[in-house]
Amino acid sequence: MLTVNSIAGLREQIHVWRLSGDTIAFVPTMGNLHAGHVHLVKEARRQADRVVVSIFVNPLQFGPGEDFAAYPRTRDEDAGRLRAAGADLLFMPEASAMYPLDATAMSVVEVPGLSDDLCGRFRPGHFRGVATVVLKLFNQVQPDIAVFGEKDYQQLVIIRRMVNDLDLPVRILSVPTVRETNGLAMSSRNAYLTEAERVKAALLHAELELALKELSQGRRDFSTMEIEHATALESAGFQVDYFAIRRQQDLRQPDAHELQLVILVAARLGRARLIDNLKVSLAA
Ligand code: PAF
């Protein structure tokens, strides 16, 4: 596996592969890789001749007071995992190369509406940071396919919208969330949980499963359900940002006839802010 730190070096290698006719799959990450990321890389491996993975802890998507400085950085272990998973190139740009200008002076990507809802309400500017860095990385790597995890469901919907709106020549492939045996969605931020919190964190997924069962049994009083499930999590010791039932495709509020739903939750437990979701496809 090649490791490249400069944008010029990356472009040179991509050019060589393109001349040989190779297709390229891309997995953008912020590092601290776990089994969920490995799953994305393995899927990328199945999709294209060459697999590029980026590790860049993107300052633009962290708000003031968030965990940018504390975000776990484990580059040597990450490189070993990527090598084992079959990545061809690890791209690790410096922040000074990605953002040579002051954040207030540079061009950014806005995906309005979608970015201000759900997590966007609690993390203003977060999705502007995500969309901006993902577009930059797409321009640098120029992949045929990019692979994202479904755990960050709102991020996935926003990236699909950006790709569609801006006619980007890349296919977005999503991969289901990988979970611990107790149901907890794998996440780099699980590292912030104590052992006891890690056990309790499984309740998040259990609550999603409960809501899924209610929807499958015909419940459609979405607002009441959202309040009930958020309250149950609060009683268990979570500080809930939202528990929401939305349309799968665009995250808008569903009407009672909608069949493709997604249940999303964001909640704080100790030092960690956890997010999770479940897709629900109801029979007509
Ligand atoms: O999902 C992530 O790890 C990040 O938001 C991403 C897509 C790599 C952009 O920094």
Side-chain angles (χ1 to χ4, degrees), residues 219-231 245:
R219 258 190 99 167
R220 292 293 179 273
D221 51 338
F222 302 132
S223 308
T224 311
M225 286 178 68
E226 289 173 356
I227 294 167
E228 283 174 10
H229 289 285
T231 307
I245 301 167

Side-chain angles (χ1 to χ4, degrees), residues 8 16 58 64 136 166 184 192 195 223 245 261 263 271-272 280:
V16 169
N58 173 32
K136 282 175 72 76
L166 302 181
L184 174 64
Y192 300 150
E195 267 318 302
S223 308
I245 301 167
L261 297 168
I263 318 164
R271 281 178 58 219
V280 190

Side-chain angles (χ1 to χ4, degrees), residues 28-30 37 56 58 61 126 130 133-134 148 152 155 159:
T29 82
M30 297 207 301
H37 293 110
F56 179 62
N58 173 32
Q61 68 189 77
H126 168 67
V130 170
V133 81
V134 170
F148 290 85
D152 297 285
Q155 167 174 286
I159 288 166

Side-chain angles (χ1 to χ4, degrees), residues 23-168:
T23 54
I24 294 168
F26 175 46
V27 183
T29 82
M30 297 207 301
N32 192 236
L33 305 179
H34 48 69
H37 293 110
V38 170
H39 201 59
L40 301 183
V41 175
K42 289 192 169 158
E43 187 53 45
R45 182 72 285 161
R46 276 192 281 277
Q47 297 289 331
D49 302 314
R50 300 290 179 177
V51 174
V52 175
V53 179
S54 63
I55 294 182
F56 179 62
V57 184
N58 173 32
L60 213 61
Q61 68 189 77
F62 290 79
E66 290 191 349
D67 57 342
F68 175 67
Y71 198 85
R73 290 156 169 90
T74 50
R75 293 190 165 185
D76 291 345
E77 293 91 322
D78 290 349
R81 281 186 163 233
L82 292 175
R83 210 171 284 116
D88 294 294
L89 189 149
L90 168 58
F91 177 48
M92 292 200 290
E94 296 295 335
S96 55
M98 288 297 275
Y99 300 125
L101 291 182
D102 180 70
T104 56
M106 56 185 264
S107 308
V108 291
V109 183
E110 291 282 359
V111 182
L114 264 176
S115 298
D116 308 317
D117 198 7
L118 300 168
C119 281
R121 274 171 47 220
F122 299 88
R123 305 186 68 190
H126 168 67
F127 289 115
R128 178 192 310 124
V130 170
T132 301
V133 81
V134 170
L135 180 63
K136 282 175 72 76
L137 288 164
F138 282 178
N139 283 334
Q140 292 158 3
V141 178
Q142 308 230 333
D144 300 283
I145 297 170
V147 187
F148 290 85
E150 289 181 0
K151 187 184 76 74
D152 297 285
Y153 194 82
Q154 187 176 7
Q155 167 174 286
L156 177 65
V157 174
I158 286 171
I159 288 166
R160 284 193 196 283
R161 172 73 57 82
M162 174 183 79
V163 163
N164 200 48
D165 288 351
L166 302 181
D167 304 311
L168 304 181

